[in-house]
Amino acid sequence: MKKRSIVLFIILLAGAFFIQPAIAGEWRIPVGFSYVGGASEFLDQIEDNLEAEGYWTDASIWPVGVSVQPYYEFDFGLGVGFGVGPLILVAGDADAILLPVNASLRYAILPWAKITPYVRCGLSHIIASGDYIEGSSPGFVIAGGVEFMRHKRVGLGVEIGLDYASVEMEDQEERRRTGGDPDATDDIEAVGLTVSIQAIF
């Protein structure tokens, strides 16, 4: 079911780009900083693993990352786009890097106005690498926000979103209890809630 949904979404996204020349619109490029709510849960799992291996934990994470979310908006308010970020880094006794990527459809409720609310939804995946990371799985992303000064050279945007993509991580404590079971892993929604402030070019 998940694979079927992903294929359907990619077809819709490709179709939207294909009809782009026939309907006037414009590219918009939001760039900003995002608070990442799932970062603390991701760090907690790393620290639990370090403690299960007998280490004094000394790992840190910065829960704010840079993101870029370019999109093409048609005259009637529908838009298609993709995004990269927010980049998440862990440093210390364990190292890890997470880079979320997404593709989404969006709709601006008042596209002609100076201030307009919007909603967007799509698919997200986390490119993940580092200690205790086994893999990652795609998930849905939904978000809503408001864009200000839309007709200026540089506008401003705020957005709140939920990203359900997950990272599969080792659970060292469970592996110790089960005698080294390699299937002892946890799925962590490493992004989760995001709160973003953006400059829109």
Side-chain angles (χ1 to χ4, degrees), residues 94-105:
D95 297 305
I97 180 170
L98 304 178
L99 182 62
V101 294
N102 69 77
S104 63
L105 294 172

Side-chain angles (χ1 to χ4, degrees), residues 88-129:
I88 305 165
L89 299 172
V90 176
D93 290 336
D95 297 305
I97 180 170
L98 304 178
L99 182 62
V101 294
N102 69 77
S104 63
L105 294 172
R106 57 190 293 142
Y107 182 69
I109 297 171
L110 302 169
W112 60 86
K114 295 178 181 178
I115 300 174
T116 183
Y118 68 89
V119 293
R120 68 180 181 90
C121 64
L123 294 172
S124 176
H125 184 70
I126 301 174
I127 300 171
S129 177

Side-chain angles (χ1 to χ4, degrees), residues 27-174:
W27 277 100
R28 302 174 67 81
I29 306 175
V31 179
F33 293 96
S34 301
Y35 165 77
V36 182
S40 59
E41 184 180 358
F42 179 70
L43 181 62
D44 287 345
Q45 184 63 46
I46 288 177
E47 291 180 335
D48 289 346
N49 284 336
L50 288 169
E51 290 173 2
E53 293 180 334
Y55 295 103
W56 292 98
T57 59
D58 182 19
S60 60
I61 193 168
W62 182 244
V64 176
V66 177
S67 60
V68 182
Q69 302 278 343
Y71 67 93
Y72 189 89
E73 184 177 280
F74 303 105
D75 280 347
F76 48 86
L78 181 67
V80 292
F82 61 93
V84 178
L87 177 66
I88 305 165
L89 299 172
V90 176
D93 290 336
D95 297 305
I97 180 170
L98 304 178
L99 182 62
V101 294
N102 69 77
S104 63
L105 294 172
R106 57 190 293 142
Y107 182 69
I109 297 171
L110 302 169
W112 60 86
K114 295 178 181 178
I115 300 174
T116 183
Y118 68 89
V119 293
R120 68 180 181 90
C121 64
L123 294 172
S124 176
H125 184 70
I126 301 174
I127 300 171
S129 177
D131 296 322
Y132 305 118
I133 294 175
E134 294 282 308
S136 57
S137 299
F140 290 100
V141 58
I142 57 173
V146 180
E147 291 186 355
F148 303 90
M149 304 183 296
R150 276 175 57 88
H151 305 299
K152 301 289 186 181
R153 184 179 295 273
V154 180
L156 177 68
V158 293
E159 180 183 275
I160 297 176
L162 290 171
D163 189 327
Y164 293 101
S166 62
V167 175
E168 184 183 3
M169 300 185 68
E170 298 175 15
D171 187 334
Q172 292 297 334
E173 187 173 347
E174 182 66 20

